[in-house]
Amino acid sequence: MSNLKLTTEWDKTFPKSDKVNHRKITFHNRYGIELAADMYTPKDINDKMPAIAVSGPFGAVKEQASGLYAQTMAENGFITIAFDPSYTGESGGSPRYMASPDINTEDFQAAVDFLSTQDNIDPEKIGIIGICGFGGMALNAAALDTRIKATVTSTMYDMSRINANGYFDEQDSEENRYQNKLALNKQRTLDYKKGTYKRAGGVVDPLPEDAPFFVKDYHDYYKTSRGYHPRSVNSTDGWNVIGTMSFINQPILQYSNEIRSAVLMIHGDKAHSYYFSKDAYKNMINESKYTDNKEFLAVPNAVHTDLYDGGKNHVIPFDKMIEFFNKYL
């Protein structure tokens, strides 16, 4: 019996499809945190089906990009779930608005636990999709979980790298990391005294005229009718200031070149974050024995959030993703 309060009305940032069935489900991870998800099922299920778990972007909820991906993949013959990570959205976990390289990787594995035990799903045909920061988590999960047979990352962020080095690695020095840690640990003491966690603030609003392009890009998605959702930390008051600090010295993707299962990495070539996928792909195939089923797809002229909802030109390469999952699941 779930203790979570789940909305019953359709409150997504994308229209509901009449080609699939939709319902809310819950499952738990190995830390006992109960996770909330939307399950999308093709109208005609025959025998045991392939399945895909979807999450991301980092600071988003399942009513945004991950739900759109899940619903679209369900329209094309997969049972899918889009889930809220621990401590966010409708999922459990207290205190709220915390993130962890370990727990967020575990959230994907817990989704695989759930999918592997459903009567209408083939446990040998399970894939995952991670968007933005959960692209990094998905790749990390693929390196750990042999039940995952195919992984797609879309507009991927490496959350360890950005927390340790800043945007574009501009803060990549021992001194910068030290100053960052000083500030975060000072905040920890204050939080502990007050008994509450200070929030970092979501995407800046109103938008300063001199904001860098990537900030404008995020604002255009999270702070407008295009992608705003009241449960998304990026649309509202952000993560806790100290909510992501463990990423600074806990690198993910350590053994990505040992991933034996199939991986497709997708990124817009005009995205500020393009370097994350480019470098992660290079590291994944470096000295790897398992490169035949690895692929990188650059989407021409697409910026970071274009792969959240397609942008103005509907650029998410769903056809390519469907072909990839059909081949490897």
Side-chain angles (χ1 to χ4, degrees):
M1 185 66 191
S2 172
N3 297 315
L4 301 179
K5 291 186 174 66
L6 304 178
T7 51
T8 49
E9 76 276 7
W10 184 265
D11 62 346
K12 322 292 186 211
T13 58
F14 51 91
K16 188 174 186 177
S17 169
D18 55 8
K19 296 177 188 164
V20 299
N21 296 317
H22 162 263
R23 67 187 175 97
K24 287 280 177 78
I25 57 112
T26 62
F27 57 96
H28 64 274
N29 69 18
R30 79 176 198 267
Y31 296 109
I33 299 169
E34 195 175 9
L35 302 179
D38 287 293
M39 178 176 255
Y40 299 91
T41 316
K43 288 272 168 89
D44 49 335
I45 289 189
N46 42 39
D47 206 25
K48 286 187 180 285
M49 308 273 289
I52 302 168
V54 193
S55 198
F58 196 80
V61 285
K62 62 191 180 310
E63 289 73 21
Q64 294 169 310
S66 61
L68 172 66
Y69 275 64
Q71 180 174 264
T72 306
M73 297 309 288
E75 287 176 335
N76 289 280
F78 302 90
I79 293 176
T80 63
I81 58 172
F83 65 87
D84 285 332
S86 296
Y87 310 112
T88 65
E90 292 186 304
S91 286
S94 178
R96 306 302 290 164
Y97 318 126
M98 292 292 183
S100 154
D102 177 29
I103 294 173
N104 295 145
T105 300
E106 162 63 21
D107 289 341
F108 265 117
Q109 291 196 266
V112 176
D113 293 341
F114 171 81
L115 294 173
S116 297
T117 53
Q118 302 307 299
D119 290 342
N120 53 2
I121 289 171
D122 184 341
E124 295 301 315
K125 295 185 175 180
I126 293 174
I128 59 174
I129 300 172
I131 306 161
C132 179
F134 278 83
M137 304 305 168
L139 207 54
N140 208 40
L144 188 59
D145 198 323
T146 54
R147 300 168 302 171
I148 296 168
K149 298 301 189 280
T151 301
V152 167
T153 71
S154 181
T155 199
M156 187 202 102
Y157 255 58
D158 177 340
M159 295 310 300
S160 294
R161 183 173 175 182
I162 195 141
N163 276 280
N165 301 348
Y167 279 97
F168 316 112
D169 297 328
E170 284 171 358
Q171 303 297 311
D172 183 13
S173 74
E174 185 268 341
E175 182 59 29
N176 284 325
R177 274 186 287 279
Y178 183 73
Q179 293 302 327
N180 187 20
K181 287 183 272 192
L182 274 180
L184 287 167
N185 287 299
K186 186 179 175 187
Q187 186 62 50
R188 285 187 73 115
T189 307
L190 289 172
D191 288 348
Y192 198 86
K193 268 184 190 162
K194 287 183 179 170
T196 57
Y197 291 96
K198 186 181 181 192
R199 303 280 290 276
V203 174
V204 62
D205 190 46
L207 193 64
E209 273 183 35
D210 61 350
F213 173 76
F214 72 91
V215 176
K216 292 177 178 170
D217 187 29
Y218 282 134
H219 186 279
D220 188 45
Y221 182 79
Y222 286 109
K223 291 291 189 175
T224 70
S225 57
R226 174 184 165 196
Y228 174 85
H229 197 279
R231 286 194 294 275
S232 160
V233 295
N234 293 343
S235 290
T236 55
D237 293 331
W239 296 92
N240 298 333
V241 172
I242 67 162
T244 61
M245 75 179 285
S246 68
F247 285 94
I248 294 171
N249 68 341
Q250 293 182 27
I252 56 175
L253 311 183
Q254 193 64 40
Y255 297 104
S256 65
N257 68 345
E258 296 180 8
I259 297 173
R260 297 187 183 192
S261 56
V263 178
L264 167 65
M265 301 186 74
I266 302 167
H267 220 112
D269 68 2
K270 295 290 185 285
H272 71 277
S273 49
Y274 187 54
Y275 68 102
F276 286 124
S277 283
K278 217 169 59 176
D279 291 355
Y281 182 76
K282 195 172 95 185
N283 293 335
M284 179 175 62
I285 61 171
N286 182 42
E287 295 183 3
S288 168
K289 294 184 283 187
Y290 312 104
T291 55
D292 290 354
N293 55 3
K294 307 296 187 288
E295 201 172 339
F296 186 91
L297 176 67
V299 180
N301 302 312
V303 298
H304 186 80
T305 66
D306 283 342
L307 292 182
Y308 285 8
D309 61 353
K312 292 183 178 71
N313 299 314
H314 308 289
V315 297
I316 301 172
F318 282 121
D319 288 353
K320 175 67 186 173
M321 289 162 60
I322 292 156
E323 180 193 318
F324 171 80
F325 281 118
N326 279 333
K327 180 175 180 179
Y328 291 107
L329 300 184

